[in-house]
Amino acid sequence: MYLFASLIIMIIVKASEVVVDEDIQQQSDEEQWKASFYYIPTQNSNEESLDKDGLPTFNELKVALNKYRDMTDDILYHLSRAHEVASRTEEILYPYHDTYSPSLLSLKLEHKITNSAKTLEQNMIVLERLLKPFPINVGILPNHNSDDSTNPFTFPPKNDISNNNQCKTSSQSATTSIARYIAPYKEIKDKRINDKYNGEEEPYDTASHILTHMTREWTDSGASIRRDTHDWIVDEILSYHNQLDSSTDCQESPLSPVLVPGAGLGRLAVDIAFTQSRRADTNAKSQVVYPFVVEAVDNSLVMGGAAYQLFHYHHSEHDEENLTMYPMANDPFINEVNSERRWKSSVFPEDKVSDQFNHLKDMKQSSDAFQQPNISYVIGDFVRIYASPTKQNVYGSVATCFFIDTATNIYEYILTIRNLLRTGGLWINLGPVQWHRNAQLQPTTAELKDLILLAGFEIMKWEISDKLIAYRHPDDIIVGTRAEAYRPLKFVVQLQPDPDECSTQDHSNTSLLSSLEKVRQVTGRKSVIPKEVIDNDTSNTNSDDDDIDA
């Protein structure tokens, strides 16, 4: 039976060879809307990720495709084995029963094998078109040219002692330690070990993650989920923009640039960037503008690669078959009421996205002065990049969706967001607090609220949604014997000015990044500062010591 399944795959691959070899249709450079992509390699990037010139090899994309192929083979193998078990069992227990009876499990498993082979191979075709090398700027970041210095973020943050207007001192009693020992960070060298990980934020870099996010973000199937998530965030940003915009004359919003951490396939970033508002021009005519410059960031090169293809995808009518995928085809065979849902297809991108891109093309052709949406995508570590002094006071707002529960140490995320925001900047969040397995801290929503207040934010909105929201597909709530859905935490907070400094201790030479490095050293984490920076600091320190000795 396994040979039968393999034969089906060979036939489908042969029929699809011409399709796979076709490139995604591209418009001319003059007409095509483009988004810039940037890559900041981590300090753990090795020769497999970068070539001798320090450029990405895109090996992660190949690995993701190979793993999906292995998973496909594994699914078909287990289905074929189940078919053999069912057939042998039925031969013994029902020897006189019609072998083609629809009641027998073996016949149903044959249908599952056939449909699984077909749908999984179609998914592979889609993934091969998305996960391929793409143009990228290495080692540099978008430049937003911020001259705002209204929020000089010294670290540690200044204490806001509103009750007694007195500073806390080091004479306060220390908290009793229960866990006396925390093992230091140790990198796992053997990448073949799948049951171990280094305790850090894990990137969503598998092909299955791509299909899940694709369904939620870029197909009609996920439209209702986006209405409850992305639309709420966009509406909040636009509402505060409209309140602030009357005091400025520039086209760009006071809340711009907008940073979108954990951007995944980038749909939320696109939705914000493509949000329009109207402004009167010099002739008192109403002009449509895109007020938000958007910067997306994700730590997965695989997600970034797929996002690039989606950002620059241009719909073609004859290509519709290639836009079809089967998001539930590789789900585990558990909690199913029936298998019909497994074979449901989704088409991407949805018509709304195609219409947006076509509108840009038409407007560009009709007017050279037409303003296009401004969006960039950074691939790199969120804390390492945005906790740095160079990113201080750069952004007007931050939008996080299904992101904060990926933190290993939630203090890092909160203070990094404080570091990058300008005074008065907004942080808009929506998502659960389903802390991932790497989380060292797992606060409740009430405890999280206190941490955000402690960091200097004012709560504008804070609520737990009454409505259950599916993670991937609306059917995940109503179909099957187990539902996967969330009641997300939704909040809007605003960064307040630092209170008057009442401590005589000088923190001006202490950056957030160096403080987080100390935290990581004592909590068993990998370094957040690039090794070359540490080496330079060490050599400078040694040089200073030599000068003192002299």
Side-chain angles (χ1 to χ4, degrees):
M1 197 65 203
Y2 185 57
L3 292 175
F4 166 66
S6 300
L7 180 60
I8 292 176
I9 288 183
M10 291 175 62
I11 294 173
I12 295 173
V13 171
K14 188 65 177 176
S16 306
E17 282 178 351
V18 176
V19 172
V20 174
D21 289 339
E22 291 179 355
D23 290 332
I24 296 177
Q25 180 182 3
Q26 299 289 334
Q27 296 178 353
S28 66
D29 291 342
E30 292 76 15
E31 297 177 353
Q32 181 181 343
W33 172 80
K34 289 184 177 181
S36 298
F37 277 63
Y38 302 82
Y39 179 43
I40 306 299
T42 66
Q43 61 199 78
N44 295 323
S45 297
N46 51 38
E47 64 277 2
E48 294 182 356
S49 300
L50 301 174
D51 63 19
K52 62 181 181 179
D53 297 321
L55 300 177
T57 61
F58 298 103
N59 183 65
E60 294 90 340
L61 308 185
K62 304 172 191 174
V63 170
L65 289 173
N66 289 337
K67 285 185 176 180
Y68 191 81
R69 172 67 71 187
D70 291 342
M71 184 192 68
T72 296
D73 291 343
D74 191 54
I75 289 174
L76 295 176
Y77 168 76
H78 284 285
L79 281 175
S80 299
R81 189 173 184 274
H83 175 268
E84 190 65 24
V85 170
S87 297
R88 294 184 184 186
T89 302
E90 291 159 2
E91 287 176 3
I92 295 173
L93 299 182
Y94 298 96
Y96 304 111
H97 206 82
D98 183 2
T99 56
Y100 294 100
S101 170
S103 299
L104 294 178
L105 185 58
S106 59
L107 187 63
K108 295 178 180 178
L109 284 168
E110 285 186 18
H111 292 304
K112 282 187 180 182
I113 292 170
T114 302
N115 288 332
S116 291
K118 176 182 177 181
T119 55
L120 290 171
E121 190 57 40
Q122 177 61 27
N123 284 349
M124 194 69 199
I125 292 171
V126 169
L127 291 167
E128 285 174 343
R129 300 192 64 178
L130 293 175
L131 301 182
K132 56 186 179 181
F134 58 99
I136 193 168
N137 300 289
V138 181
I140 60 174
L141 290 169
N143 182 13
H144 297 294
N145 296 320
S146 174
D147 296 326
D148 193 319
S149 59
T150 58
N151 179 30
F153 184 16
T154 57
F155 197 84
K158 302 165 185 176
N159 294 320
D160 182 12
I161 312 299
S162 56
N163 293 334
N164 54 19
N165 204 29
Q166 295 180 356
C167 290
K168 296 181 180 180
T169 67
S170 58
S171 61
Q172 292 174 309
S173 60
T175 303
T176 302
S177 175
I178 298 176
R180 297 286 180 179
Y181 174 73
I182 298 177
Y185 172 77
K186 182 179 181 182
E187 182 181 358
I188 298 171
K189 299 293 185 181
D190 190 351
K191 303 301 182 183
R192 297 170 298 176
I193 301 176
N194 295 322
D195 59 343
K196 295 182 180 180
Y197 72 110
N198 60 17
E200 299 299 322
E201 290 87 0
E202 296 179 286
Y204 282 42
D205 58 1
T206 69
S208 296
H209 285 136
I210 297 296
L211 295 175
T212 295
H213 284 241
M214 186 86 71
T215 306
R216 186 178 71 196
E217 298 184 27
W218 291 93
T219 71
D220 287 331
S221 302
S224 63
I225 298 177
R226 293 193 300 276
R227 281 194 296 271
D228 293 326
T229 55
H230 292 189
D231 287 2
W232 182 84
I233 292 174
V234 172
D235 289 345
E236 290 297 321
I237 295 176
L238 193 57
S239 173
Y240 283 94
H241 161 77
N242 290 334
Q243 295 176 31
L244 299 170
D245 190 46
S246 59
S247 61
T248 64
D249 294 327
C250 60
Q251 289 188 350
E252 189 173 316
S253 171
L255 299 179
S256 183
V258 183
L259 186 69
V260 183
L265 294 183
R267 181 59 189 273
L268 175 58
V270 168
D271 287 344
I272 298 173
F274 277 70
T275 298
Q276 298 178 346
S277 66
R278 290 190 174 272
R279 178 183 297 278
D281 60 16
T282 55
N283 297 320
K285 295 181 179 179
S286 180
Q287 178 187 10
V288 174
V289 297
Y290 297 99
F292 304 113
V293 175
V294 181
E295 183 176 322
V297 58
D298 199 280
N299 65 344
S300 170
L301 184 64
V302 176
M303 280 286 176
Y308 177 88
Q309 304 300 337
L310 289 164
F311 283 13
H312 303 94
Y313 193 96
H314 296 279
H315 183 66
S316 173
E317 292 297 333
H318 73 272
D319 207 24
E320 185 170 352
E321 182 179 354
N322 276 347
L323 302 177
T324 301
M325 66 176 183
Y326 297 86
M328 277 76 79
N330 53 279
D331 282 0
F333 290 88
I334 56 176
N335 292 308
E336 286 189 296
V337 175
N338 59 63
S339 296
E340 296 308 311
R341 174 172 175 262
R342 184 177 290 274
W343 322 127
K344 283 186 177 180
S345 63
S346 294
V347 176
F348 74 93
E350 63 171 334
D351 291 339
K352 178 181 177 181
V353 175
S354 300
D355 292 341
Q356 286 177 323
F357 287 139
N358 290 332
H359 173 71
L360 287 181
K361 176 185 174 182
D362 295 340
M363 294 301 294
K364 178 66 175 177
Q365 291 174 339
S366 62
S367 173
D368 293 335
F370 173 68
Q371 177 208 10
Q372 298 198 72
N374 189 333
I375 183 171
S376 57
Y377 193 114
V378 175
I379 301 168
D381 183 85
F382 170 64
V383 173
R384 179 188 170 193
I385 296 173
Y386 297 94
S388 69
T390 59
K391 287 297 183 181
Q392 189 173 326
N393 313 320
V394 171
Y395 300 87
S397 54
V398 175
T400 53
C401 185
F402 287 86
F403 172 69
I404 60 175
D405 55 1
T406 66
T408 299
N409 186 332
I410 188 59
Y411 279 105
E412 290 188 349
Y413 279 15
I414 295 173
L415 291 176
T416 297
I417 291 173
R418 171 186 167 143
N419 179 70
L420 62 88
L421 276 177
R422 299 190 292 264
T423 297
L426 295 181
W427 175 12
I428 300 100
N429 173 80
L430 184 147
V433 288
Q434 180 171 293
W435 303 102
H436 292 203
R437 66 173 184 169
N438 56 285
Q440 293 179 327
L441 301 174
Q442 301 167 319
T444 65
T445 57
E447 293 165 344
L448 179 64
K449 185 177 183 179
D450 287 338
L451 296 182
I452 291 174
L453 287 169
L454 182 66
F457 290 91
E458 179 184 352
I459 306 296
M460 314 295 284
K461 290 186 179 181
W462 189 281
E463 63 179 275
I464 307 295
S465 175
D466 293 330
K467 182 178 180 180
L468 281 173
I469 298 176
Y471 179 74
R472 174 189 58 177
H473 191 284
D475 288 352
D476 290 341
I477 300 178
I478 59 176
V479 178
T481 59
R482 179 182 182 273
E484 184 174 0
Y486 303 91
R487 293 176 54 227
L489 167 65
K490 297 157 48 172
F491 65 73
V492 179
V493 298
Q494 185 176 45
L495 182 60
Q496 301 302 298
D498 274 336
D500 292 335
E501 176 71 273
C502 56
S503 172
T504 59
Q505 184 178 356
D506 182 14
H507 297 302
S508 59
N509 293 325
T510 304
S511 71
L512 172 61
L513 201 60
S514 61
S515 296
L516 293 182
E517 178 67 19
K518 294 176 183 177
V519 170
R520 290 199 173 195
Q521 289 175 357
V522 299
T523 56
R525 303 276 307 285
K526 74 175 181 180
S527 174
V528 71
I529 300 178
K531 184 177 184 300
E532 59 270 17
V533 175
I534 297 175
D535 292 342
N536 290 337
D537 289 345
T538 302
S539 62
N540 292 336
T541 301
N542 293 336
S543 176
D544 292 341
D545 292 341
D546 292 341
D547 293 340
I548 293 173
D549 293 339

